[in-house]
C-alpha cells in the first residue's frame, strides 16, 4: 500500500523508446496527472544500460542503477515500472523482487506475462501488491481494463483481434499493391516496424503471447501461451488476397479465443473476415480487438498497437490507477489465481467453421467433379467454387497445365477438410500443397 497523501514514487527500469516517452510524459503532464490522480507522481530512480546516451531528458536529480533487481528493491520507491522486456532475467527477477517486497509493478512485458503471468499474479496477491500490464497488449488500446473492469459483469463468448502491427502492415501492402510476402516484409523492416529477426512477428508468436493474456482476462482461465495454436502469414500470396477480395473477404492475422462446447479454443492464424466487418477495415500497423459479450452486440476497439508514445500511454494509465487506489485493488487477471480455470490446447482437427481452399488443379475434364466428389464424401458443402484462368496463374503453373481452383465451404470441421484434401491429393488431379485459410464469422 502507498501513502496516498504523499507523491507516488516510481523506479523505472528500461529507458528505450517506451521508457523515454514515459519519462517525458510524466514531466510534460505533471500537473494534469496530479490533478487527475489526487497526488503527484515522481520519477525518483531509473535503470538503463547507458547513462551517457542522449535521451533528451533531464535526469540529473534521478538516482541511477545499473542493476534492475537492485532498483526493484529500492526502498525509496512505491512502484517498479518494468520496461526491459523478455520472458527471462533480468526482467523476471526484477519483477519478482519488487512484488516480494510488496511493491506494485507496472509492466509492458507480454512475453513475461504469457509465460510466468500466473506465478507473478500469485506473488502479487500474496504480497498485496498491484501487477498492472495494460501496455502488454494492443499498445494504447485499453483492452486489459475493458475486459477486467469495463466488462466485468458480462460473460464473453469470443474475443478476436489484430494484435501484431507488423503482420497487418505486411498483409495490407500485399493486398493493396499486389506485393509478395517477402517484398512487403522488407518494406516493414525498412520502415522499422518489423524486428531485425521478424519471425517472432510473422510466425504468429507475438500475437499468441498477447492472445494468451486476453483469453485469461476474458474467460477466467489460467494464462498459458502453450495452449495457443499458432500459424503465421508467410504462406499467404497476393493471389490469395485477390481471390479473397473478389469473394468479399480480407485476410488478417487474427488471435481468436472462443468459448466452445468443449472448452476455450485459442488460436492464431491467417483468417478470412468479411470485408464489411469492423476488423476488416483496420489497415497498416494499427491494432484492433473485437469482443463478443453474451447478449449484446460486439464491441471493437481500434488504435495504435506499438510505439513509444502509444505504449507509454497505457503504462501511464496503470501508474495512475495505483496513484488513485494505492496498490492492489483488482486481481491481475480479473479473479484470484486459485479461481482461474485450467486451459488445454484445443485440437484444431475439431475446429468448426468455413474454409477457403486454393488448389492448383489439372486443367482436364472431370477435375472439378473429382474435387467436388471428395468434398461430398467428407460431408463438406460448398458455398462457391471458382476456376481461374490466364493471368491469375503464374507462368510456371500455366506451363504445368494447372489452373487455380478456389473453394469456399460452408461450416465444416478441420478434420473433414484435411481428409478430403488428402483424398484429392491421392487422385492426382492437383499439384503442390493446397492453401487452406479459416474463415471467421463476423
Ligand atoms: N512487434 C509488435 C508488432 C510490437 O509488430 O505489433 C508490439 O508488441
Amino acid at each position: 500500500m502507498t501513502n496516498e497523501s504523499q507523491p507516488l514514487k516510481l523506479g523505472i527500469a528500461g529507458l528505450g523508446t517506451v521508457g523515454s516517452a514515459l519519462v517525458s510524459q510524466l514531466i510534460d503532464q505533471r500537473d494534469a496527472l496530479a490533478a487527475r490522480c489526487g497526488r503527484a507522481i515522481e520519477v525518483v530512480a531509473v535503470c538503463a544500460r547507458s547513462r551517457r546516451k542522449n535521451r533528451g531528458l533531464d535526469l540529473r536529480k534521478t538516482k541511477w542503477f545499473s542493476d534492475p533487481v537492485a532498483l526493484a528493491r529500492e526502498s525509496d520507491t512505491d512502484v517498479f515500472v518494468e520496461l526491459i522486456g523478455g520472458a527471462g532475467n533480468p526482467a523476471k527477477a526484477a519483477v519478482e523482487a519488487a512484488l516480494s517486497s510488496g511493491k506494485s509493478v507496472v509492466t509492458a512485458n507480454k512475453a513475461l506475462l504469457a509465460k510466468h503471468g500466473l506465478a507473478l499474479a500469485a506473488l502479487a496477491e500474496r504480497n498485496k501488491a498491484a501487477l498492472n500490464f495494460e501496455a502488454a497488449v494492443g499498445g494504447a488500446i485499453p483492452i486489459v481494463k475493458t475486459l477486467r473492469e469495463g466488462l466485468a459483469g458480462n460473460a464473453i463468448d469470443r474475443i478476436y483481434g489484430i494484435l501484431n502491427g507488423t503482420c497487418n502492415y505486411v498483409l495490407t501492402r500485399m493486398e493493396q499493391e499486389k506485393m509478395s510476402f517477402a517484398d512487403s516484409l522488407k518494406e516493414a523492416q525498412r520502415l522499422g516496424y518489423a524486428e531485425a529477426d521478424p519471425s517472432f512477428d510473422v510466425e504468429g508468436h507475438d500475437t499468441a503471447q498477447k492472445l494468451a493474456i486476453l483469453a485469461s482476462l476474458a474467460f477466467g482461465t489460467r494464462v498459458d501461451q502453450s495452449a495457443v495454436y499458432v500459424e503465421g502469414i508467410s504462406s499467404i500470396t497476393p493471389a490469395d488476397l485477390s481471390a479473397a477480395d473478389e469473394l468479399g473477404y480480407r485476410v488478417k492475422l487474427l488471435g481468436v479465443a472462443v468459448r466452445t462446447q468443449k472448452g476455450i479454443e485459442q488460436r492464431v492464424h491467417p483468417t478470412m473476415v468479411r470485408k464489411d466487418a469492423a476488423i476488416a477495415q483496420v489497415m497498416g500497423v494499427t491494432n484492433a480487438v473485437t469482443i463478443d459479450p453474451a447478449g449484446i452486440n460486439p464491441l471493437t476497439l481500434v488504435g495504435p498497437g506499438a510505439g513509444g508514445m502509444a505504449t507509454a500511454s497505457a503504462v501511464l494509465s496503470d501508474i495512475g490507477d495505483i496513484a488513485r487506489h494505492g496498490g492492489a485493488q483488482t486481481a491481475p487477471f480479473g479473479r484470484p489465481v486459485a479461481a482461474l480455470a485450467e486451459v488445454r490446447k484445443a485440437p484444431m482437427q475439431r475446429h468448426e467453421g468455413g474454409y477457403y481452399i486454393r488448389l492448383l488443379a489439372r486443367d482436364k475434364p472431370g477435375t472439378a467433379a473429382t474435387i467436388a466428389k471428395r468434398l461430398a464424401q467428407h460431408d463438406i458443402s460448398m458455398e462457391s467454387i471458382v476456376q481461374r484462368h490466364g493471368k491469375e496463374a503464374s507462368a510456371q503453373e500455366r506451363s504445368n497445365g494447372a489452373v487455380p481452383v478456389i473453394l469456399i465451404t460452408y461450416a465444416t470441421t478441420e478434420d473433414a477438410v484435411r481428409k478430403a484434401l488428402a483424398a484429392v491429393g491421392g487422385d492426382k488431379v492437383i499439384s503442390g500443397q493446397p492453401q487452406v485459410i479459416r474463415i471467421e464469422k463476423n
Side-chain angles (χ1 to χ4, degrees), residues 110 136 163-167 193-195 201 206 210 285 287 305-307:
K110 64 208 159 194
L163 301 172
N164 183 273
T166 303
C167 286
Y193 297 144
E195 309 291 329
D201 290 315
D206 177 76
K210 294 166 180 168
V285 289
N287 281 200

